[in-house]
């Protein structure tokens, strides 16, 4: 091996061996570099993929960056407030001994509730002083009136239409005192001039309303059968 034998000079055989050795080293070196490059590329790809995944996981989604999490939003707890206790309305002011104002007078019309057609029921006008002090009021008969209305609000009868009365009646009403004025209705229709024909009021549901000068009463139901 170290001493080549052949017809050619020994230098020729040494150059051939050297060339083969160089080629072998070149082949081995090139393969090694290819393997290193392949391994390096795989490791680089894996490292890049891992870095991308880490960056993606570390950064919040775009919606989370704009809209805060509901868990981090604190809703203020409403403070319960106590309901105000209802207070009774204060009674209207009234000067003792002065004329009773409409605010301190309670007006009411009382009826039998149900009467036969053509009958002559007795109705009552009731005046009450609701003030805590006595006061005076003019209760003249020409200032008193009771009217009858039908279901649509049309006026059918008035106590002052055909038989108006007059009186001079000024009274001092004690606190809580009631004054009752009875009045008989003849069961017929009427109008303020008392010139129209008067006819019996037929069966049905009606309303009575009283008046004392400028003060009016709540309505009271009257059924004619």
């Amino acid at each position: 091996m170290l001493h080549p034998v052949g017809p050619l000079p020994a230098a020729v055989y040494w150059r051939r061996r050297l060339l083969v050795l160089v080629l072998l080293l070149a082949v081995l070196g090139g393969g090694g570099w290819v393997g290193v490059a392949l391994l390096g590329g795989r490791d680089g790809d894996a490292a890049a993929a891992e870095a991308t995944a880490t960056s993606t996981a570390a950064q919040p989604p775009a919606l989370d960056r704009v809209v805060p999490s509901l868990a981090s939003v604190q809703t203020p707890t409403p403070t319960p407030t106590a309901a105000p206790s209802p207070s009774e309305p204060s009674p209207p002011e009234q000067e003792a001994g002065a004329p009773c104002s409409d605010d301190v007078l309670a007006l009411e019309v009382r009826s039998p509730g149900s009467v036969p057609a053509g009958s002559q029921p007795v109705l009552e006008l009731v005046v009450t002083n609701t003030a805590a002090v006595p006061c005076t009021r003019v209760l003249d008969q020409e200032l008193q009136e009771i009217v009858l209305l039908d279901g649509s609000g049309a006026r059918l009868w008035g106590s002052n239409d055909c038989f108006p009365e007059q009186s001079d009646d000024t009274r001092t009403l004690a606190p809580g005192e009631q004054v009752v004025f009875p009045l008989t209705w003849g069961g017929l229709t009427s109008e303020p001039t008392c010139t129209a024909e008067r006819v019996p009021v037929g069966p049905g549901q009606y309303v009575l309303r009283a008046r004392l000068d400028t003060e009016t009463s709540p309505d009271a139901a009257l059924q004619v059968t």
Side-chain angles (χ1 to χ4, degrees):
M1 292 289 294
L2 298 176
H3 302 282
V5 179
L8 299 175
V12 174
Y13 292 105
W14 281 111
R15 285 194 296 268
R16 289 179 179 179
R17 291 178 180 178
L18 183 59
L19 180 61
V20 171
L21 180 60
V22 170
L23 291 175
L24 180 60
L25 291 175
V27 171
L28 292 176
W33 279 109
V34 171
V36 171
L38 291 175
L39 291 175
R42 291 177 182 175
D43 292 343
D45 293 343
E50 183 178 356
T52 303
T54 303
S55 175
T56 304
Q59 225 176 13
L63 184 60
D64 289 347
R65 292 199 300 269
V66 177
V67 181
S69 172
L70 292 179
S72 64
V73 178
Q74 296 185 355
T75 304
T77 304
T79 304
T81 57
S85 57
S87 57
E88 295 184 1
S90 57
E93 295 183 1
Q94 173 64 52
E95 183 181 353
C100 304
S101 67
D102 288 349
D103 292 337
V104 302
L105 284 186
L107 212 61
E108 178 187 3
V109 56
R110 295 175 182 171
S111 76
S114 178
V115 296
S119 63
Q120 297 183 358
V122 175
L123 312 176
E124 291 181 341
L125 171 62
V126 183
V127 181
T128 305
N129 176 20
T130 64
V133 295
C135 57
T136 62
R137 183 72 181 212
V138 177
L139 302 177
D140 297 349
Q141 289 185 341
E142 60 267 26
L143 300 179
Q144 306 173 22
E145 185 179 28
I146 298 178
V147 296
L148 179 72
L149 311 173
D150 63 11
S152 64
R155 185 180 186 276
L156 301 178
W157 166 80
S159 60
N160 292 341
D161 290 345
C162 297
F163 305 103
E165 297 184 9
Q166 293 185 349
S167 66
D168 187 5
D169 188 359
T170 301
R171 303 191 190 187
T172 297
L173 304 177
E177 182 180 357
Q178 286 188 340
V179 182
V180 180
F181 299 96
L183 185 148
T184 300
W185 172 44
L188 304 177
T189 62
S190 68
E191 47 86 26
T193 63
C194 200
T195 56
E197 180 183 2
R198 304 186 64 191
V199 298
V201 174
Q205 293 286 345
Y206 300 94
V207 168
L208 291 169
R209 186 179 301 161
R211 177 182 65 85
L212 176 63
D213 198 9
T214 57
E215 177 75 357
T216 59
S217 73
D219 293 344
L222 177 67
Q223 181 180 10
V224 178
T225 59

